Amino acid sequence: MRHATGRTVRTWIAVIPALLAAGFLGTLPRQGLAGELRVGTATTSITPDRPVPLSGQMTTRIARDVESPVTATALALESREGDTVVDQAILVSCDLVAIREGIIEHAREQLEDRLPDFDPTKLVLSATHTHTAPVMEEGRFDLPDDGTIISPAEYVAFLVDRIVEASCEAWQARRPAGVGWGLGHAVVAQNRRSVYADGRSVMYGRTDQDDFVGIEGYEDHGVEVLFFWDEDERLIATAINVACPAQEVESRSAVNADFWHSVREQLRERHGDDLAILGWIGAAGDQSPHLMIRKEAEERMRRLRGLDRLDEIARRVVLAWEEAYEGARQEIVTDPRLVHTVKSLELPARRVTDEEAAEAARQVESLSADPAQKRRMLWQQSVLDRFEEQKAGAVAPYEMELHVIRLGDVAIATNPFELFTEYGIRMKARSPALQTFVIQLAGPGSYLPTPFAVRGGGYSAIVQSSKVGPEGGDELVERTVEEINALWPED
């Protein structure tokens, strides 16, 4: 296997034996060293076998068909010096709308018994944000109780079992491997918030009307990619970081992994059926793959190519992936520095104003009369509940788990939000890493909007949609960059 000789760490590694012999390294932390990389992978279906309610919309949708399977893919990473573990991680990408509360805790409890040589706090789950995967929370919708439909609790038990099995399989399959990283570009995401002359912002607002003045924020068209090869230089896994949620077919009433299914099919056709593919969604709370401008021209080109919309999106991602692959395969690293830090953060909760509470109360009264609007009513009621906590002086900070991983020249940072893209760009711009992967929805999901978005209002920026506001977004950026910087002491 070829071995890249990149950056300061290579010089450092070369002198380690002499320093050890001289006794100079006895007090250094182990995380300062690189070691042999071991990698294992596993992919499992998390597709239900009976009708199931779907997440992602305000109305009840029951899926009785499967258009494409939803899966979970696990990537186990371990760095070793001889028999000594330097650090470790298991990252699992799931075709879900989010990682709802309690899921990772249950998975860690089981892993603690199943994998005694793995630290369960270093399990990371993230979601692709497909809106055509099962509901995971009880009480959101009124569902028939006749045994024909999988309940959310039943699905969660099935899901956790599959995640644990895949994690164990990946961990037990780890073998010496090499890693490479690359960058491509693909226009997949479009900022979905239209701005109008009166200052309003509207998600999916029309752009062909006279008072349209622009699109609210950034788009990130970078496609960050990791590649993993076995000792025979056979590609065994890849992780693809795209700042766009998987919600092109979000309104359908069938199970569907959205564009990630097409990405997997196209890549496996070229690189083998057993290639493990992780979809990581970057900071994309204000993005979607839905077309906002040039719709007719885009659709004409798609038709001329003979592709449906999911295959067109996948085509772009795969072209960017191939672009990154051409570079990355020239520098395969077998002993990257692997450091995985886990931090608990407390971010300031977004406060509910008197006006917001009054409007939520009006909505609750109006929606309560219609059982079909239960989900919307509960969404509004949550604002009133938060307002009552404020009045009682019992507002708790938002607690979240931050994972920051160094893998060679690459940084990986997670958050639980639908994080507006501006925050992710700030993290990447300030990071000392050669490439920085930001993974959102490594948790239950709540929009985290920018100040400009809050002023414009509209779904995804109003208080009903977000538990943490711009003040918390600023703090999240600062803490994330701080933790990344700590893993690059040589810079």
Side-chain angles (χ1 to χ4, degrees):
M1 179 178 289
R2 293 185 301 278
H3 189 136
T5 58
R7 307 188 76 178
T8 308
V9 66
R10 294 291 176 255
T11 304
W12 176 241
I13 293 297
V15 301
I16 282 177
L19 293 174
L20 285 169
F24 291 132
L25 294 185
T27 60
L28 286 180
R30 300 208 66 81
Q31 72 173 31
L33 307 178
E36 177 190 62
L37 179 67
R38 297 187 178 188
V39 175
T41 68
T43 298
T44 188
S45 173
I46 55 173
T47 309
D49 61 0
R50 302 201 318 274
V52 66
L54 297 178
S55 290
Q57 301 291 345
M58 290 290 186
T59 56
T60 304
R61 295 172 296 154
I62 304 297
R64 302 183 186 278
D65 300 301
V66 176
E67 293 178 337
S68 64
V70 289
T71 62
T73 301
L75 174 69
L77 304 175
E78 183 184 49
S79 180
R80 282 181 170 267
E81 293 176 26
D83 294 330
T84 303
V85 175
V86 177
D87 219 327
Q88 55 189 199
I90 298 177
L91 301 106
V92 186
S93 169
C94 305
D95 290 327
L96 299 169
V97 73
I99 306 300
R100 297 303 191 195
E101 292 181 3
I103 289 175
I104 195 165
E105 290 80 4
H106 291 320
R108 285 172 174 168
E109 287 174 7
Q110 294 187 34
L111 283 182
E112 192 167 11
D113 295 331
R114 297 277 299 274
L115 298 178
D117 56 345
F118 176 72
D119 178 357
T121 66
K122 296 195 173 183
L123 172 70
V124 182
L125 306 182
S126 62
T128 63
H129 203 51
T130 176
H131 284 46
T132 43
V135 171
M136 292 163 282
E137 293 177 299
E138 293 285 355
R140 286 201 167 200
F141 303 102
D142 288 325
L143 302 172
D145 187 20
D146 57 6
T148 61
I149 293 174
I150 298 176
S151 70
E154 185 180 358
Y155 180 74
V156 166
F158 162 79
L159 172 68
V160 170
D161 181 66
R162 290 298 179 94
I163 288 172
V164 170
E165 287 297 329
S167 299
C168 290
E169 182 181 341
W171 185 252
Q172 291 159 357
R174 66 199 190 282
R175 299 289 185 273
V179 62
W181 35 87
L183 173 66
H185 296 84
V187 179
V188 176
Q190 298 200 10
N191 189 296
R192 56 183 171 174
R193 290 176 53 86
S194 298
V195 181
Y196 298 97
D198 61 1
R200 291 177 302 120
S201 293
V202 179
M203 192 167 80
Y204 300 129
R206 290 181 58 175
T207 58
D208 61 351
Q209 56 193 55
D210 292 342
D211 60 343
F212 169 73
V213 296
I215 298 295
E216 184 180 83
Y218 296 104
E219 295 165 356
D220 181 357
H221 301 307
V223 179
E224 315 274 357
V225 190
L226 285 174
F227 307 89
F228 298 89
W229 294 267
D230 66 13
E231 290 183 292
D232 297 322
E233 293 195 26
R234 182 178 65 92
L235 187 67
I236 58 174
T238 185
I240 310 171
N241 193 201
V242 180
C244 184
Q247 58 183 107
E248 176 62 26
V249 296
E250 61 180 314
S251 61
R252 293 186 187 176
S253 296
V255 172
N256 195 310
D258 213 273
F259 64 77
W260 283 108
H261 176 70
S262 296
V263 169
R264 293 172 192 135
E265 284 196 321
Q266 292 183 29
L267 284 177
R268 287 172 181 154
E269 183 178 353
R270 302 180 191 198
H271 298 277
D273 291 340
D274 58 349
L275 179 64
I277 302 167
L278 290 86
W280 288 344
I281 305 304
D286 48 352
Q287 313 289 312
S288 92
H290 296 317
L291 299 171
M292 295 294 292
I293 60 172
R294 293 192 293 261
K295 294 180 183 180
E296 291 183 1
E298 291 270 12
E299 287 300 285
R300 171 179 175 266
M301 294 305 300
R302 179 188 61 76
R303 290 193 301 271
L304 291 174
R305 294 187 185 107
L307 301 174
D308 68 19
R309 180 67 181 152
L310 293 178
D311 286 340
E312 168 62 21
I313 294 169
R315 182 189 69 86
R316 299 181 186 192
V317 173
V318 170
L319 284 173
W321 184 96
E322 295 284 3
E323 182 180 77
Y325 182 65
E326 285 303 309
R329 68 179 181 174
Q330 300 177 49
E331 294 186 344
I332 302 177
V333 183
T334 57
D335 62 345
R337 186 181 301 189
L338 175 65
V339 191
H340 184 176
T341 61
V342 186
K343 299 290 183 178
S344 295
L345 304 188
E346 291 187 346
L347 303 179
R350 181 172 174 175
R351 297 187 68 84
V352 181
T353 66
D354 292 343
E355 294 78 9
E356 290 167 338
E359 176 59 24
R362 286 192 290 273
Q363 292 292 330
V364 168
E365 182 178 2
S366 172
L367 295 168
S368 296
D370 184 356
Q373 297 295 326
K374 178 179 180 179
R375 176 72 186 88
R376 292 182 185 275
M377 186 275 291
L378 292 174
W379 188 57
Q380 299 288 347
Q381 181 61 49
S382 68
V383 175
L384 298 181
D385 295 341
R386 289 159 59 185
F387 188 65
E388 291 302 317
E389 290 175 359
Q390 279 180 205
K391 291 197 299 184
V395 179
Y398 184 93
E399 297 182 3
M400 62 156 282
E401 187 174 87
L402 170 67
H403 292 260
V404 175
I405 299 171
R406 176 172 182 171
L407 182 60
D409 292 339
V410 165
I412 302 168
T414 72
N415 68 83
F417 301 105
E418 290 189 66
L419 186 68
F420 274 41
T421 298
E422 177 182 309
Y423 296 113
I425 287 176
R426 286 163 57 184
M427 293 173 186
K428 292 182 178 186
R430 294 175 56 190
S431 168
L434 178 68
Q435 286 181 243
T436 300
F437 293 59
V438 175
I439 307 174
Q440 71 168 17
L441 288 168
S446 169
Y447 285 101
L448 207 169
T450 62
F452 190 86
V454 169
R455 289 194 294 273
Y459 184 85
S460 75
I462 55 178
V463 72
Q464 288 87 341
S465 305
S466 89
K467 296 180 180 179
V468 176
E471 180 185 0
D474 291 342
E475 186 166 337
L476 175 62
V477 170
E478 294 301 321
R479 291 297 306 274
T480 300
V481 172
E482 176 185 312
E483 294 301 329
I484 295 173
N485 281 332
L487 302 187
W488 266 263
E490 68 272 24
D491 291 348

